[in-house]
Amino acid sequence: DAGVIQSPRHEVTEMGQEVTLRCKPISGHNSLFWYRQTMMRGLELLIYFNNNVPIDDSGMPEDRFSAKMPNASFSTLKIQPSEPRDSAVYFCASSFFGNRDQPQHFGDGTRLSIL
Amino acid sequence: AQTVTQSQPEMSVQEAETVTLSCTYDTSESDYYLFWYKQPPSRQMILVIRQEAYKQQNATENRFSVNFQKAAKSFSLKISDSQLGDAAMYFCAYRSARGGSNYKLTFGKGTLLTVNP
C-alpha cells in the first residue's frame, strides 16, 4: 500500500517566486496535516483538514501561505510570494479518524530553500 | 496548550547496549495519546511506538518499549540491543483524544541518538 506521497522532494527558488507543494494522502484516510520543520521552531502544525475541509489553520504563519484540498486524494500548500525565512522542510501527514487511535503517517517531506 | 519537553538534545550508545530517551509533557487532559517518531538522515518520519493514556500497560514493539508514568507526565523510550540503524533523531509527540483541532500532534524538540560500533 502506497504511503503519503509528497512532491517535489526538493525545491530551490528565488525570493518572491510562488511555490507550490503537493501531497497525496494514503487512500481511505480522511484527515490531512501540513507540518513545517525548522531548526529554530522544530515541528509545528500549519493546517489540518478533515474530510477535505480546513479545521484548524491557526498555524499558518501569514497570508502568504494558503492550502487547499480539492478532493480526498490531493492537497496543495502554496507560498506566494516566498521569502528566505520560509526555507524549511514541509511534511504532509494523513490519518483516518473514524477510529480515534489511528496514528498519523508522514510523507518524506519537501525541503524548500528560498534564496 | 500542551507542551512536550525532551531534555536530552543528544545521546549516544554503544551497539548492542540499551539506551533510554526522556520525554515529559504538560496537559490538563486525562485522555490522550503519546508517540515516539524516528527521523533518520533520510528525513522520513517513522512511527516507532504509541501509548494510549487510559492503558496502564506500557507499550512494546520488539526492541522498543516505553515507561509511561501518567501521574508524573513522563513518557520515556527504551531501545534495547541498539543497532547502527537506530541512529536518528527521535521525537516525542502528544495528541489529544478529543476531536476537532486537538487531533494535531505536538512535538518535542527531539533527541539525536548516535550509535557507536
Side-chain angles (χ1 to χ4, degrees), chain A residues 43-56:
Chain A
L43 277 152
E44 52 184 350
L45 179 73
L46 298 177
I47 188 168
Y48 155 48
F49 292 87
N50 190 38
N51 291 322
N52 312 338
V53 176
I55 302 299
D56 181 1

Side-chain angles (χ1 to χ4, degrees), chain B residues 6 10 12 18 29 48 56 61 66 76 79 85 92 94 106:
Chain B
Q6 293 178 250
E10 297 183 26
S12 64
T18 296
E29 298 177 330
V48 175
Q56 292 187 339
E61 288 287 343
V66 298
S76 61
I79 306 174
C92 178
Y94 171 101
T106 300

Side-chain angles (χ1 to χ4, degrees), chain A residues 7 53 95 104:
Chain A
S7 64
V53 176
S95 184
Q104 293 179 22

Side-chain angles (χ1 to χ4, degrees), chain A residues 33-36 41 44-49 54-68 75-80 86 90, chain B residues 104:
Chain A
F33 305 78
W34 283 100
Y35 290 89
R36 179 171 68 175
R41 300 174 65 90
E44 52 184 350
L45 179 73
L46 298 177
I47 188 168
Y48 155 48
F49 292 87
I55 302 299
D56 181 1
D57 65 355
S58 59
M60 296 285 265
E62 48 197 276
D63 291 346
R64 298 184 297 105
F65 285 69
S66 62
K68 294 183 180 179
S75 177
T76 60
L77 177 67
K78 187 172 293 187
I79 308 173
Q80 167 62 23
D86 302 331
Y90 291 81
Chain B
K104 71 178 183 181

